[in-house]
Amino acid sequence: MIINIRVDHKFADIETLENTGDDLKKLFNEFKNEFSINEYVEINTCNRKEIFIHNDQCVFNHPLLDSDNDNLIIHYGDSAILHLLKLSSGLESMIIGEDQILGQIKDAKKKSYDEGHCGKVLDLLFTKAIHVGQVVRNKTKINRGSISIGSAAVDLAQKHLKDITGKNVLVIGAGEMGTLVAKALNEKNLNAIFVANRTFYRAVRLAEELNGEAILLDDLNNKLIDADLIISATGSPHIILNKERFIKTLKNDNSEDKCSLENDNSKYNYLLENYEYKPMVIIDLANPRDIDENVKDLGIKLFNIDDLREIGEKNKELRQKEVIQANEIINSEFKLLKNSFKTMDIEGLLSDIRIAMEKIRKDEFQKAIYKLEHNTFKKLINFNFESNNITNNIKNINTNINTKNNINTKNNKNNIENINNTINNDNEIVDFRDMINNQEKIVENLSKSIVNKIFHNISINIKQAALNDEDDVINSIKCIFNYE
């Protein structure tokens, strides 16, 4: 059975996603303790956490498949398979048709494989899912245009800043999401773009692509007050930016003798007024979140993944035709995948049958070679006898020549004819000997050809029985070949 347990943006806001992550892990550990699960793949993105499990011991009415946690979604069997196919095709994304999920699924499969818990069932499932995602994008227009969480975030910023032309932008995080955001921003005519990352070389690499400036995450304060727009997408498990950090930055930038203010809000307002800044916009794309909600107290406009839903819905409406086409492809590929699973179940049986047939072939091959070698021995005795005839006829000719001055034409003619006849017979024997030199190869190739043709027909019939769900036929064959 294939099981999928998840929490995603469809049924949970960002706060629920953060809080339910531990519940997901707890349920997964219960599955592992109950069934000793060794085959699983985890998918973690900014708006979903999922685990796909393969286990043949779990039954459909097991209590673990009916969790009391309303925030967790549990699918199994066909529904779990179809969910992954739709997920890889971009149909389950907040931004319908986005390409990033396909890469994330590939990475999840590779990670599982490298860690040793992606077996042949999940390998087949995820390989098919990746294939389906590629086919859907090639045969439909589901991903046409600049669509991603990153581009949606830029659209959101554009909406609230009216125009980001000539603005200073700070991107926190140089991973996949940060890169998407930065590239979407690069199409705008910005005044400056800064890239902050804990690993500096990654910030440098991305900044070079964007003609921007790279900074260390520890030096973030130096650029905070210069930014009109901040977009954060790190993998940090903790808050990296809050009200207190902003206030500390503002205090360092404004001495008390320059401006004596009574509270933090007035300091921030003074900063905006003094430098003629428009209100700052921050978009937090991380899960868990990078930015504390309390920055709103400073007059900052803060948005997160939940605020992209409106853009996602509009994008979905524009792609309804492509969604229908994608579902048709998914349903067709799903049937093929189901057949692949059925034939996978009998691979061991077919392997045992093939091994048994090969053993019979080798035994019979040895018997055939023995018989051929025995017959060859008789032929070689005849060959020696005929060779002696040639020698005797030649001696007769020599005797006639030596005892008479002229050749006894009649006798010699007979001797020469005997020699020619014998030589012709010997040529046949020599040709036969050449053939015997290759007899093992000929017989082996012939036996392999026969067995392959017989096995081919047998395997086709067994596979067809499996595809037709003829369990009685499969069980009978298993009994005949002692397959457990």
Side-chain angles (χ1 to χ4, degrees):
M1 179 190 295
I2 293 171
I3 304 166
N4 168 246
I5 53 177
R6 69 182 186 273
V7 55
D8 64 25
H9 66 92
K10 283 191 171 184
F11 301 97
D13 58 21
I14 184 63
E15 184 176 0
T16 304
L17 278 168
E18 291 173 342
N19 296 335
T20 311
D22 290 340
D23 296 334
L24 183 72
K25 282 288 186 183
K26 181 180 178 182
L27 179 59
F28 177 53
N29 287 331
E30 289 178 4
F31 271 101
K32 288 202 293 186
N33 293 334
E34 180 78 12
F35 302 111
S36 300
I37 290 170
N38 296 314
E39 193 174 354
Y40 60 91
V41 176
E42 297 182 71
I43 301 174
N44 293 312
T45 73
C46 62
N47 53 25
R48 71 177 61 253
K49 293 180 183 293
E50 304 199 24
I51 304 176
F52 283 86
I53 303 166
H54 171 246
N55 180 264
D56 288 330
Q57 298 173 344
C58 185
V59 293
F60 290 103
N61 59 353
H62 195 281
L64 285 177
L65 296 176
D66 187 20
S67 174
D68 294 332
N69 192 327
D70 295 334
N71 294 320
L72 290 177
I73 304 167
I74 303 176
H75 283 169
Y76 48 86
D78 290 353
S79 61
I81 296 172
L82 280 168
H83 167 67
L84 181 59
L85 299 186
K86 290 181 179 181
L87 182 64
S88 68
S89 301
L91 302 191
E92 297 289 302
S93 299
M94 181 179 287
I95 308 298
I96 295 291
E98 53 98 1
D99 291 329
Q100 288 68 49
I101 188 61
L102 190 57
Q104 290 162 343
I105 290 174
K106 290 179 181 178
D107 292 342
K109 178 194 171 187
K110 183 180 184 301
K111 182 175 183 293
S112 176
Y113 183 84
D114 291 343
E115 293 176 354
H117 44 78
C118 181
K120 65 178 183 179
V121 173
L122 289 186
D123 180 68
L124 175 61
L125 173 61
F126 273 76
T127 298
K128 171 60 80 171
I130 293 167
H131 167 72
V132 171
Q134 293 169 338
V135 171
V136 166
R137 287 170 175 81
N138 288 333
K139 292 189 176 182
T140 72
K141 298 179 181 178
I142 195 77
N143 64 335
R144 297 294 170 87
S146 178
I147 55 166
S148 67
I149 292 290
S151 62
V154 173
D155 291 342
L156 182 65
Q158 187 89 1
K159 176 181 177 181
H160 289 276
L161 287 172
K162 306 304 181 184
D163 186 8
I164 61 175
T165 300
K167 301 295 185 184
N168 295 325
V169 179
L170 171 60
V171 177
I172 306 176
E176 181 183 10
M177 186 60 69
T179 301
L180 290 172
V181 169
K183 289 183 176 179
L185 286 168
N186 200 39
E187 298 174 1
K188 311 298 180 180
N189 188 19
L190 302 175
N191 179 58
I193 183 168
F194 305 97
V195 180
N197 198 65
R198 192 173 303 279
T199 308
F200 189 60
Y201 83 89
R202 296 188 70 175
V204 170
R205 186 173 59 187
L206 181 56
E208 287 177 348
E209 290 182 27
L210 306 170
N211 294 319
E213 180 182 338
I215 60 174
L216 282 168
L217 204 57
D218 294 338
D219 298 331
L220 198 59
N221 292 2
N222 297 332
K223 299 299 178 183
L224 284 179
I225 60 174
D226 294 328
D228 299 293
L229 169 65
I230 298 174
I231 300 181
S232 187
T234 77
S236 172
H238 309 295
I239 292 291
I240 63 171
L241 196 57
N242 55 20
K243 175 182 175 180
E244 289 71 29
R245 188 167 186 175
F246 265 103
I247 292 173
K248 182 179 179 181
T249 302
L250 299 178
K251 284 181 178 179
N252 291 337
D253 190 66
N254 294 275
S255 62
E256 290 295 330
D257 59 348
K258 182 178 180 182
C259 180
S260 177
L261 299 168
E262 295 180 358
N263 56 62
D264 297 326
N265 282 351
S266 62
K267 286 186 178 182
Y268 179 74
N269 292 332
Y270 170 79
L271 180 68
L272 294 178
E273 181 180 352
N274 190 54
Y275 288 94
E276 298 182 354
Y277 265 29
K278 294 180 181 179
M280 182 184 294
V281 171
I282 300 179
I283 300 177
D284 186 357
L285 300 178
N287 179 17
R289 285 171 289 181
D290 290 333
I291 317 298
D292 196 309
E293 289 280 331
N294 64 14
V295 300
K296 291 180 178 179
D297 297 341
L298 301 176
I300 296 173
K301 293 182 179 180
L302 175 65
F303 304 95
N304 57 44
I305 286 289
D306 292 337
D307 297 298
L308 301 181
R309 293 180 186 276
E310 182 180 348
I311 295 174
E313 287 299 319
K314 290 181 179 179
N315 176 68
K316 183 178 180 180
E317 292 174 6
L318 294 173
R319 298 176 191 274
Q320 281 304 308
K321 182 179 177 181
E322 283 72 24
V323 169
I324 294 172
Q325 293 175 346
N327 276 317
E328 290 174 353
I329 295 171
I330 289 169
N331 290 333
S332 176
E333 293 286 349
F334 170 71
K335 293 176 182 177
L336 296 175
L337 178 59
K338 289 281 286 182
N339 288 342
S340 295
F341 279 131
K342 289 178 180 179
T343 55
M344 175 184 283
D345 290 339
I346 59 169
E347 282 181 356
L349 173 60
L350 291 174
S351 176
D352 279 10
I353 293 174
R354 188 69 180 85
I355 291 171
M357 293 179 68
E358 179 65 11
K359 183 178 183 304
I360 294 172
R361 185 195 69 80
K362 288 182 176 180
D363 291 343
E364 295 303 316
F365 168 71
Q366 293 300 328
K367 292 177 184 177
I369 291 301
Y370 174 79
K371 291 179 180 179
L372 284 173
E373 288 176 347
H374 184 68
N375 291 334
T376 301
F377 180 70
K378 291 181 178 179
K379 289 284 186 181
L380 290 175
I381 291 174
N382 291 335
F383 173 75
N384 289 331
F385 176 75
E386 297 293 347
S387 297
N388 288 333
N389 287 341
I390 294 174
T391 303
N392 292 333
N393 284 316
I394 291 173
K395 284 182 179 179
N396 289 335
I397 293 173
N398 287 334
T399 301
N400 290 333
I401 293 172
N402 291 331
T403 56
K404 298 180 182 180
N405 290 327
N406 59 352
I407 298 175
N408 186 329
T409 304
K410 184 177 180 180
N411 289 337
N412 285 338
K413 205 179 264 188
N414 290 333
N415 288 325
I416 290 171
E417 286 179 2
N418 288 335
I419 291 172
N420 287 333
N421 291 334
T422 302
I423 289 174
N424 288 334
N425 291 334
D426 288 342
N427 284 335
E428 293 178 4
I429 294 171
V430 172
D431 291 341
F432 179 74
R433 290 186 67 187
D434 291 339
M435 184 184 73
I436 290 302
N437 289 333
N438 297 319
Q439 65 183 357
E440 289 192 14
K441 184 177 180 181
I442 293 170
V443 174
E444 184 169 26
N445 288 340
L446 179 61
S447 65
K448 284 183 177 180
S449 176
I450 293 171
V451 169
N452 287 340
K453 289 178 180 178
I454 294 173
F455 178 73
H456 176 71
N457 292 333
I458 291 174
S459 63
I460 287 177
N461 291 332
I462 294 177
K463 287 178 181 179
Q464 193 60 51
L467 294 176
N468 295 337
D469 296 320
E470 297 175 3
D471 295 336
D472 54 339
V473 174
I474 299 299
N475 290 332
S476 297
I477 296 171
K478 288 181 178 180
C479 181
I480 293 171
F481 287 92
N482 295 321
Y483 179 79
E484 298 180 357

